[in-house]
Amino acid sequence: MGDFSAFQITLGHERFFNEHARLVRSDKSLGPRIKKVVELVVSGQLKHPSLNTRAIQGNPDQRFLYVNVSDKYRMVIAVEKSIVYF
């Protein structure tokens, strides 16, 4: 889990951390990028330009959004009131 220890209680999603670890093993530059995305989203900055937050086309549930991690990777999040699911 590395640099996400502070977020573990807030996020609490084992799959997120497993995928994070797998991706970072394959591309070390993703670690800081993913951390920055999580920090922006957790701090309420969903509309930050670097995230390019957008609805998932064809999904009728508007709580689900894409946010960019890099040009190659994006993350799906779901927002419910003050809770964000990664």
Side-chain angles (χ1 to χ4, degrees):
M1 282 181 234
D3 41 20
F4 282 106
S5 57
F7 295 115
Q8 186 177 4
I9 293 171
T10 305
L11 301 176
H13 296 291
E14 187 176 332
R15 182 173 180 194
F16 173 83
F17 293 108
N18 289 340
E19 289 298 312
H20 169 266
R22 184 184 63 77
L23 285 169
V24 171
R25 279 193 304 273
S26 68
D27 182 347
K28 300 279 188 236
S29 70
L30 286 174
R33 291 178 183 173
I34 294 170
K35 185 176 189 291
K36 184 65 176 174
V37 169
V38 170
E39 288 172 342
L40 288 169
V41 170
V42 168
S43 70
Q45 298 183 56
L46 285 174
K47 300 294 182 188
H48 192 278
S50 69
L51 297 178
N52 190 24
T53 306
R54 60 211 178 273
I56 298 174
Q57 212 171 20
N59 187 345
D61 191 337
Q62 295 300 305
R63 293 175 300 167
F64 291 89
L65 304 167
Y66 280 134
V67 293
N68 285 0
V69 174
S70 69
D71 292 337
K72 186 177 176 183
Y73 295 100
R74 61 185 171 226
M75 188 182 302
V76 175
I77 62 172
V79 181
E80 284 188 2
K81 297 179 184 171
S82 63
I83 300 171
V84 179
Y85 297 95
F86 291 86

